[in-house]
Amino acid sequence: MTLTNLDARIKLLMLVAVSSVALLVQRPLTLAAVLFLTLILLLLGGVDHFKVWRQTRAMISIIAGIFLIQCVFCRDGLPLITIGNMTLITTGGFQMAIIVALRLLIIVSSALIVLTGDLRDYLLALRWCRLPYEIVYMTLAALRFIPLLRDEATSINSAMQMRGYDFKSVKWKQRIKQYMAMMLPVTASALHRAVQMSIAMETRAFRCMPNRSQWRSLKFAHRDIIYVLIFFALLIAILLLLK
Amino acid sequence: MIEINNITYTYANNHLPAIAEFCAVFNKGEIAAVTGKNGCGKTTLSKLITGILRPSSGCILIDGENITGMSLFNIGQRIGYIWQNPNRQLFCPTVAEEIGFGLRNKGLTEANIMVETYRYLEMFRLSAKKEAHPLLLSLGEKQRLALAAVLSLGAPYLLLDEPTVGLDVRCRRLLGTELRKLAEQQNCGVIVISHEQDFVRRFCAREVVM
Ligand SMILES: Nc1ncnc2c1ncn2[C@@H]1O[C@H](COP(=O)(O)OP(=O)(O)OP(=O)(O)O)[C@@H](O)[C@H]1O
Ligand SMILES: [Mg+2]
């Protein structure tokens, strides 16, 4: 079955479980197995591979950078690579680097599982956990704002360039100043829009009633239950067998 | 001359193209109107001409030069562009500075910047507001400020996305005569996207229907 159709609550639960395992477990082998499990889920879940690659490309280079830093700066254990009489990498450092990199990879790939769903479903899932609807709705609104703000910043940036501001030719100090100047209208319009939106919502009777009905609803299907049981069985098996 | 050859553009999250295999030519010294119903892709076209969006296929030539690969800065030297939403192009702390921004980038002397700024403040009747924050102006005032800021740069082409929205009758007429003057006296090529039939009939030599 595809991940897209999986119940949002289950995906959130999987995210929490996998990332807490990633943070609590110390053994590289166990971590590798957990990473393998999440990758298998992604591969079998009908996720668009190219899209995944595009979303994670930047992350992977960051993780590689962190790996190198860990390697070089963690100095426990025996020398592994030496140049002359200077130890470059130690076994402890290498192990630590592997653990950190695996953890980050697990967190990124479990986040990818969550990205397969609709944002609204996750908010319904939070609502299901008895969070007040005002908070849930506001989270949705805030998340919806982000792309709008980005849009606005890009169009102001384009407007500046079209009016003869050449970002390439000015010195970086000037450039930072100009970026700061750009943030002001973007923030101002965000605040303005937030105020307007809250007024508009109240004129349409938001918060008038203690409860708010939902158009979408979440329902557990049998296959969701089977899926989650298999997943947790595998996860626990990994933890027990590779202890 | 701005030549648009067979351009197609599809937004990332859409299936159907917003604009498909579109061709048009806009001349210097002429005010041309682009009209069409809501959502037919007029704003998309204007963003493609100014290089803010890049076409999925086809090409756009300005005076024979292909704009693919040209930076926004370089395109901005050739085309002055008014966004449909004036909030999206006002970013300076005061009205006067907003007009001065582009003039300063052109490397004018302070004295000349002052003169030009005042000329355009007068022309678009914004003198009383010159110290106000651009985002606190009324819609029509913002629109006038955006026009002043872009027209003051004297680019050889102008592309205005619904410039008449929010303007009162007098300002609309003023804009029309100003554009006509630019086209006739300075051989400027003007493209106006508009729903305003009166304005189009009165000031535009040609109408391109999308
Ligand atoms: N950023 C965007 N992302 C996705 N789709 C978009 C985006 N901007 C516009 N569209 C879609 O592209 C189509 C053309 O939009 P465009 O803004 O070019 O129309 P328009 O002709 O300028 O309309 P109007 O007369 O209302 O200004 C519309 O169907 C719109 O939904
Ligand atoms: Mg439009």
Side-chain angles (χ1 to χ4, degrees), chain B residues 37-44 46 81 84 161-162 193 195:
Chain B
K37 57 183 195 290
N38 289 138
C40 70
K42 303 181 295 296
T43 299
T44 310
S46 72
Y81 178 46
Q84 182 163 17
D161 196 350
E162 308 208 14
I193 296 172
H195 292 296

Side-chain angles (χ1 to χ4, degrees), chain B residues 3-163:
Chain B
E3 290 164 78
I4 297 159
N5 289 328
N6 253 330
I7 51 166
T8 301
Y9 183 82
T10 313
Y11 283 100
N13 37 10
N14 291 2
H15 299 295
L16 291 174
I19 185 167
E21 310 210 334
F22 182 79
C23 297
V25 170
F26 298 100
N27 299 314
K28 273 202 153 167
E30 173 191 75
I31 305 181
V34 175
T35 58
K37 57 183 195 290
N38 289 138
C40 70
K42 303 181 295 296
T43 299
T44 310
L45 174 68
S46 72
K47 288 186 176 168
L48 287 165
I49 295 177
T50 48
I52 293 165
L53 299 176
R54 304 288 174 163
S56 341
S57 68
C59 67
I60 295 166
L61 308 178
I62 301 178
D63 293 332
E65 270 184 280
N66 196 331
I67 67 161
T68 319
M70 246 191 232
S71 71
L72 283 183
F73 169 77
N74 283 329
I75 297 172
Q77 307 291 308
R78 296 166 170 81
I79 305 180
Y81 178 46
I82 303 273
W83 260 251
Q84 182 163 17
N85 178 352
N87 291 328
R88 296 236 157 161
Q89 56 185 328
L90 304 176
F91 44 80
C92 292
T94 68
V95 167
E97 273 181 65
E98 193 70 57
I99 299 177
F101 179 85
L103 301 170
R104 200 154 276 138
N105 291 332
K106 279 177 79 178
L108 266 63
T109 61
E110 279 305 311
N112 278 339
I113 291 174
M114 286 283 269
V115 172
E116 283 294 292
T117 303
Y118 276 87
R119 194 159 82 81
Y120 279 91
L121 282 173
E122 273 302 307
M123 187 188 295
F124 286 93
R125 277 181 274 135
L126 288 163
S127 302
K129 298 273 180 188
K130 68 174 187 290
E131 293 303 323
H133 195 287
L135 295 180
L136 299 180
L137 298 177
S138 79
L139 176 68
E141 287 166 342
K142 282 181 192 165
Q143 192 67 270
R144 268 145 55 193
L145 174 58
L147 286 165
V150 170
L151 294 195
S152 66
L153 298 180
Y157 292 96
L158 283 174
L159 175 44
L160 316 177
D161 196 350
E162 308 208 14

